[in-house]
Amino acid sequence: MNKDANIRLQDNVVLEHYGLNELHLESVRHYREQFAKAKPNHPWNGLETKDFLYKIGAWGKIRDTNKEGLTLAGLLMFSEERMITEVLPQYFLEYREYDDHAVHWTNRFTSQDGTWSGNIYDFYFKVMNELKDVSTFEKEAVHEALINAIVHADYNGDGGIIVERQQSYIQFSNPGLFGIPLEQAYSGGISHLRNPNMFKMFIYIQFCKRAGVGLKTIETICSQQLAVEQYDFQKRTVVTLPIVSFSERHEHIEEIEAVSDWTDDVPLSDSVNKEENSYNIEQNSVNNEIKSINNKPNSLNSEIDSVNKGFNFINNEDKPVNKEQNSVNIPSDSVNKVGEEEEINVDQELWNIAEIARKKKRLAPTKMEEIILQLCAHRPLMLKQLAYLLDRTPDGLRNNYLGKLLAEGKMRLKYPEQPNHPKQAYMTNK
């Protein structure tokens, strides 16, 4: 490893003294779940750990000696900081966040914390989790920029990968320069990777495509306001994404916060949609002055019409809120409207079970899964019913929870042979 620096930088080199014991098994487990979600019928899903790692390029064999071990890519992706720095002493990952007038960061973690694995794979998810409040447009750009920093980084270079969030921008800095002229990188169509094995691992879970359009995609999203700088002296690349311009392009929306594949808990009230029955469309918006759920006197929390208080209390026998006793009913102009004559009805017991999810904007994924399983154990529930009960977007629930629970066999579909059935519902496997 130390005889030839050029060989050391190739991420397919086999580290014969680093085996399965050097893996952070939770990272491998999570990756295999992502792989199974992306490719549910793939034959590799049934392989043992070593064979699976060999297929994706994380495990290798030295042909002339028959020795085996983790590849450098496998070590970076799935090992722990202590082992990684034995091979790459300069290896370092950092995320830091600043408020408007803060001199020092207000939030920070590094690969040396000792509170997590410190590997590349987990770093991606930790960073995306910290940035989950940005809009869908911004999140796509953030994803592209982070993946590019990871797969193009020179892990033997100084400074490591640094992600810095300020109020008006997010900056990605990594050791190593582009392998092609910057003009070609902007044009797209040419892919020159410093760490092709790591990139391939992200391709397998559908996080990227080898099309050479990463920088071009980011530039398109940022409306020409992307800043890319390369420092020859330090051998570093810095990509800066503006996060103010996105809001300026959507002046009709007060807040741009939408769910994506990488959020793990975004409330329904943060969704951005402009369709006929959209949550935020002016006429039927829940924030509309006339029909707002927070507007007096029709507020859910107002003294007169509150679902929990007084004369129109949800369980009041004289004036029930819904058609059935102890039922919670969505108004006809709600975001979760199914049709002109169909309303979503859920009983009081389900409403109570989901209460904590409605109250907490950020809920631990394991807790959310527990609540979903409890709800669907009572009776099959449609996606829009779950979204209403939990106050989350349908896409967020499907992408972040329901797909995972189905893959794990904890849930099943009411109509498994017809995934797009109009009355499709989710059921807990008891």
Side-chain angles (χ1 to χ4, degrees), residues 8 55 61 171 183 293 300 352 368 395:
R8 183 170 66 173
K55 292 292 187 182
K61 301 175 182 179
Q171 192 172 83
E183 294 75 15
I293 61 172
L300 287 177
N352 292 340
M368 179 65 85
D395 285 344

Side-chain angles (χ1 to χ4, degrees), residues 273-285 288:
N273 196 338
K274 288 295 291 181
E275 296 180 1
E276 182 179 358
N277 293 316
S278 167
Y279 202 53
N280 289 317
I281 194 168
E282 291 183 3
Q283 182 178 356
N284 294 325
S285 172
N288 179 278

Side-chain angles (χ1 to χ4, degrees), residues 264 363-373 401 404-405:
D264 62 1
L363 197 64
T366 53
K367 182 62 178 177
M368 179 65 85
E369 291 176 7
E370 178 186 329
I371 294 172
I372 292 172
L373 291 173
Y401 300 105
K404 178 176 179 290
L405 292 171

Side-chain angles (χ1 to χ4, degrees), residues 288-325:
N288 179 278
E289 292 184 1
I290 299 176
K291 297 180 178 179
S292 171
I293 61 172
N294 295 315
N295 185 286
K296 298 179 180 181
N298 295 320
S299 171
L300 287 177
N301 297 314
S302 76
E303 294 183 1
I304 299 176
D305 295 314
S306 172
V307 295
N308 294 317
K309 295 181 67 176
F311 184 65
N312 287 327
F313 179 61
I314 195 167
N315 291 321
N316 185 288
E317 294 182 1
D318 295 329
K319 292 193 175 183
V321 178
N322 308 288
K323 297 176 182 179
E324 299 179 5
Q325 186 178 6

